[in-house]
């Protein structure tokens, strides 16, 4: 006898609520596999968790994994980071888009499915969450205006690299002007001529109280902004001058500070490419 999956409810759920394509929310998760477990972690995440713990869930419609080889880890700054301690921590970054207006629906499912995966022995515990946060989309700034892929395509388009930047306002009241400065001044001035085709900007949201215990609560939900720079070139080959000095620019604005600037390459699905270059 087949298991009752309450499939009759799916027809009811499909008829209600938003179902647009705009990336209204994101999951951004930076993880450090424990030494000696790099290959096992990569295979678990890619073969099982990327799908069962993410892409198979309702309203999570695009995803991409990224990796920081040791040479890229050594480009990160500032050395004293409130995010990564040490600043090189976090070899793997995963990014996912969630349909606008479906955050609560997705969160109810993801908490339940991760409880089930943990119960079924399908969670790899030899890892540390350096930064794991669900985020609300604030703005996207494009280098080439209307030409090129939109942010909805960013996790499917074959970008050659990504830079994760986390900025922190000094107070919650300063975050709106910091966001406005990024959107109207800093990014429009920084993008022309750069290898970055677009930058998405998100603000973190608190994780639910019933989250899995191995994921720590998000810090800076009232002061922090997360930027994803999508690159058309290897970040190691274009780091200088495009991605050095971002901390100086933010500090000079008087609106906040940079807590992390970290470059990544896209993983090669189905392989252990780059795993031998993490340490």
């Amino acid at each position: 006898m087949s298991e009752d999956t309450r499939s009759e409810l799916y027809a009811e759920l499909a008829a209600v609520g938003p179902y647009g394509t705009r990336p209204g929310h994101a999951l951004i998760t930076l993880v450090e596999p424990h030494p000696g477990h790099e290959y096992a972690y990569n295979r678990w995440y890619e073969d099982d968790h990327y799908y069962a713990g993410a892409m198979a869930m309702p309203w999570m419609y695009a995803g991409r994994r990224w990796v920081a080889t040791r040479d890229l880890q050594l480009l990160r700054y500032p050395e004293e980071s409130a995010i990564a301690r040490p600043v090189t921590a976090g070899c793997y970054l995963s990014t996912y888009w969630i349909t606008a207006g479906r955050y609560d629906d997705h969160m109810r499912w993801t908490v339940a499915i991760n409880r089930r995966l943990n119960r079924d022995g399908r969670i790899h515990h030899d890892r540390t969450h350096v930064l794991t946060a669900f985020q609300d989309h604030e703005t996207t700034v494009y280098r080439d205006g209307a030409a090129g892929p939109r942010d909805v395509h960013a996790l499917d388009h074959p970008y050659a690299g990504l830079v994760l930047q986390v900025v922190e306002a000094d107070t919650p009241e300063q975050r709106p002007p910091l966001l406005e400065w990024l959107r109207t001044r800093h990014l429009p001035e920084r993008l022309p001529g750069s290898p970055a085709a677009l930058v998405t900007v998100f603000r973190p949201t608190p994780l639910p109280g019933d989250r899995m215990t191995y994921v720590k609560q998000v810090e800076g939900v009232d002061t922090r902004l997360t930027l994803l720079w999508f690159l058309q070139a290897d970040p190691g080959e274009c780091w200088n001058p495009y991605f050095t000095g971002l901390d100086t620019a933010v500090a000079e604005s008087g609106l906040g500070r940079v807590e992390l600037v970290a470059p990544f390459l896209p993983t090669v699905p189905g392989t252990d490419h780059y795993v031998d270059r993490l340490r």
Side-chain angles (χ1 to χ4, degrees):
M1 185 176 180
S2 62
E3 182 180 0
D4 180 12
T5 60
R6 306 186 193 179
S7 58
E8 70 280 0
L9 296 179
Y10 286 77
E12 297 178 23
L13 294 173
V16 297
Y19 69 115
T21 59
R22 186 173 66 85
H25 321 277
L27 170 60
I28 300 172
T29 175
L30 179 64
V31 171
E32 176 74 9
H34 295 171
H37 296 269
E38 295 87 354
Y39 282 93
Y41 169 80
N42 189 53
R43 291 271 47 85
W44 163 76
Y45 199 100
E46 189 167 277
D47 295 343
D48 189 5
H49 201 62
Y50 176 82
Y51 299 105
M55 294 302 296
M57 295 193 200
W59 310 113
M60 183 171 272
Y61 66 90
R64 193 87 179 265
R65 292 186 71 217
W66 313 84
V67 59
T69 54
R70 185 61 181 173
D71 57 331
L72 292 182
Q73 295 167 34
L74 294 174
L75 294 176
R76 295 179 181 181
Y77 63 91
E79 185 175 352
E80 297 297 324
S81 168
I83 307 297
R85 303 182 183 94
V87 71
T88 52
C91 298
Y92 284 100
L93 178 72
S94 296
T95 52
Y96 303 95
W97 290 169
I98 299 168
T99 302
R102 289 295 191 170
Y103 175 79
D104 291 339
D105 296 335
H106 176 77
M107 286 304 300
R108 292 183 69 180
W109 189 282
T110 193
V111 168
I113 204 69
N114 275 283
R115 284 179 175 173
R116 179 180 179 181
L117 291 170
N118 193 54
R119 181 198 70 198
D120 294 347
R122 290 171 63 182
I123 295 294
H124 184 97
H125 290 288
D126 292 308
R127 57 178 172 145
T128 298
H129 282 262
V130 177
L131 172 67
T132 294
F134 285 86
Q135 317 243 354
D136 287 342
H137 180 259
E138 286 286 0
T139 191
T140 300
V141 180
Y142 297 96
R143 182 191 61 199
D144 303 321
R150 306 289 85 196
D151 51 13
V152 66
H153 311 120
L155 301 184
D156 296 308
H157 187 79
Y159 284 112
L162 177 105
V163 173
L164 168 69
Q165 180 185 6
V166 180
V167 299
E168 189 106 32
D170 293 329
T171 66
E173 292 74 23
Q174 280 192 312
R175 186 167 68 177
L178 174 60
L179 173 63
E180 185 66 8
W181 174 78
L182 288 168
R183 184 182 68 83
T184 63
R185 294 186 56 190
H186 177 65
L187 294 175
E189 293 172 2
R190 198 96 183 186
L191 281 172
S194 82
L198 63 94
V199 180
T200 58
V201 184
F202 294 88
R203 58 176 173 85
T205 61
L207 289 171
D210 55 354
R211 70 191 183 280
M212 301 307 293
T213 56
Y214 50 79
V215 182
K216 66 181 181 180
Q217 185 54 270
V218 179
E219 300 174 348
V221 293
D222 296 323
T223 54
R224 193 168 286 175
L225 293 169
T226 306
L227 288 73
L228 300 177
W229 301 65
F230 290 90
L231 311 186
Q232 294 173 317
D234 183 319
E237 297 174 1
C238 63
W239 193 248
N240 195 2
Y242 296 111
F243 298 103
T244 55
L246 291 176
D247 53 345
T248 301
V250 173
E252 288 177 348
S253 75
L255 298 169
R257 63 191 180 278
V258 165
E259 289 292 359
L260 183 64
V261 180
F264 294 87
L265 295 167
T267 60
V268 182
T271 77
D272 289 319
H273 199 48
Y274 299 120
V275 178
D276 60 349
R277 294 170 55 188
L278 300 179
R279 309 300 182 192

